[in-house]
Amino acid sequence: MKNLLLKLSAFIYPVTCSCCGKDISAVSKRRVCASCKNDLKLIEGLICQKCGLPLYDGGEHCYTCRKHPKEFYFDKMRSAYAYKGYIRKLILKFKYSDRMFLAGELAEGMISVMRNNVFFNEADIIVPVPLSIVRSIKRGYNQAELLANEISEKISKPVVKNALVRKKITKPQFKLSKQERFDNIKDSFAVKNKDLIKNKNILLVDDIATTSATASACTKALKAAGSGKVYVITLARD
């Protein structure tokens, strides 16, 4: 009966792939078809051992981590996908078109990366990068929090949502240069309840890393409040 109702509903409101728009089986829980899913390739090959930036010319660390090792406060960061093609299309829909149901499928790549990097096992709690109050109200949800919830279900570690907060409204990062991003986000985060994170190793979750300025600013606030190590996982790297 349930499948019959689903098929009837899909006849009236067809379920389509969020990438290519093709119809998907009414009884499927997925919203990305198998063909498009196969096109979502995880970042492979050599990467910076600290920030996870792909190193197309080889090496162990990127220029920033090699020449300015104290620029990033986090201990290690990894990203699931390069921010281009289908994954970019999905992320934009996820963030700006109310497609919150994509969180589960998008988080699958992040979980795969975590399983391939044993240091993530050291995390005690999961902290999503917070939105400002204005953006949270305007968007209606925090995409990093949705991803964190999906990861939590798979690795059985709690999400702590009210510890890290934004203490000032900043400009959108995507409009700024690298230095402007660091200046814009500097000292933008604070820990509201230190007891929630004190001496805890933290898995910090965000959607996109470009210059890694946001992840670094969050980590600075967390460590200043007494956290242990901070490992960062993002959905994509731009």
Side-chain angles (χ1 to χ4, degrees):
M1 179 61 75
K2 183 179 179 181
N3 285 349
L4 179 61
L5 290 174
L6 286 171
K7 289 177 181 179
L8 180 60
S9 175
F11 179 76
I12 301 171
Y13 303 104
V15 178
T16 59
C17 173
S18 292
C19 275
C20 66
K22 292 180 181 178
D23 288 347
I24 296 178
S25 168
V27 296
S28 173
K29 293 183 179 180
R30 293 191 169 275
R31 292 300 178 264
V32 179
C33 72
S35 177
C36 291
K37 180 70 175 176
N38 289 335
D39 287 334
L40 301 180
K41 304 297 184 184
L42 295 174
I43 291 174
E44 296 179 336
L46 294 173
I47 59 172
C48 175
Q49 292 304 296
K50 179 166 185 177
C51 75
L53 183 73
L55 300 175
Y56 301 109
D57 296 323
E60 189 172 350
H61 291 94
C62 68
Y63 177 84
T64 300
C65 292
R66 188 172 68 251
K67 295 294 185 180
H68 307 284
K70 295 183 180 180
E71 183 162 326
F72 298 139
Y73 289 90
F74 50 78
D75 292 272
K76 288 182 183 292
M77 180 169 75
R78 296 291 183 267
S79 303
Y81 304 101
Y83 186 59
K84 60 184 179 180
Y86 279 155
I87 196 65
R88 182 178 185 277
K89 185 176 182 179
L90 284 173
I91 291 174
L92 291 174
K93 289 183 177 181
F94 176 50
K95 289 179 68 172
Y96 303 117
S97 297
D98 294 326
R99 300 200 182 189
M100 294 178 282
F101 54 77
L102 288 172
E105 286 173 270
L106 292 175
E108 288 175 359
M110 302 169 77
I111 294 164
S112 293
V113 170
M114 290 174 60
R115 286 172 175 163
N116 290 331
N117 291 273
V118 295
F119 55 80
F120 283 116
N121 294 334
E122 297 178 23
D124 299 305
I125 60 174
I126 304 172
V127 175
V129 171
L131 290 178
S132 68
I133 293 176
V134 172
R135 285 183 200 147
S136 183
I137 293 173
K138 184 177 180 180
R139 189 172 300 166
Y141 58 94
N142 178 357
Q143 69 279 358
E145 186 176 310
L146 295 178
L147 293 169
N149 289 339
E150 295 292 336
I151 293 170
S152 175
E153 285 189 15
K154 297 297 183 182
I155 69 172
S156 300
K157 293 183 180 180
V159 177
V160 177
K161 301 176 182 178
N162 301 314
L164 188 65
V165 296
R166 285 188 186 246
K167 61 183 182 180
K168 66 180 182 180
I169 297 173
T170 57
K171 299 176 183 177
Q173 289 284 82
F174 69 87
K175 296 181 178 181
L176 307 176
S177 67
K178 179 180 178 179
Q179 188 56 52
E180 287 173 336
R181 288 174 187 239
F182 275 91
D183 293 339
N184 180 54
I185 208 73
K186 183 179 179 182
D187 298 326
S188 294
F189 300 93
V191 173
K192 186 177 180 181
N193 188 337
K194 294 182 180 180
D195 290 338
L196 293 175
I197 59 94
K198 191 171 181 62
N199 298 323
K200 300 285 180 62
N201 291 332
I202 293 172
L203 173 63
L204 184 68
V205 177
D206 203 5
D207 56 350
I208 306 169
T210 302
T211 61
S212 306
T214 298
S216 188
C218 287
T219 303
K220 182 180 180 182
L222 289 166
K223 289 191 173 183
S227 80
K229 294 180 179 180
V230 177
Y231 300 114
V232 185
I233 184 70
T234 74
L235 177 55
R237 186 68 184 252
D238 193 4

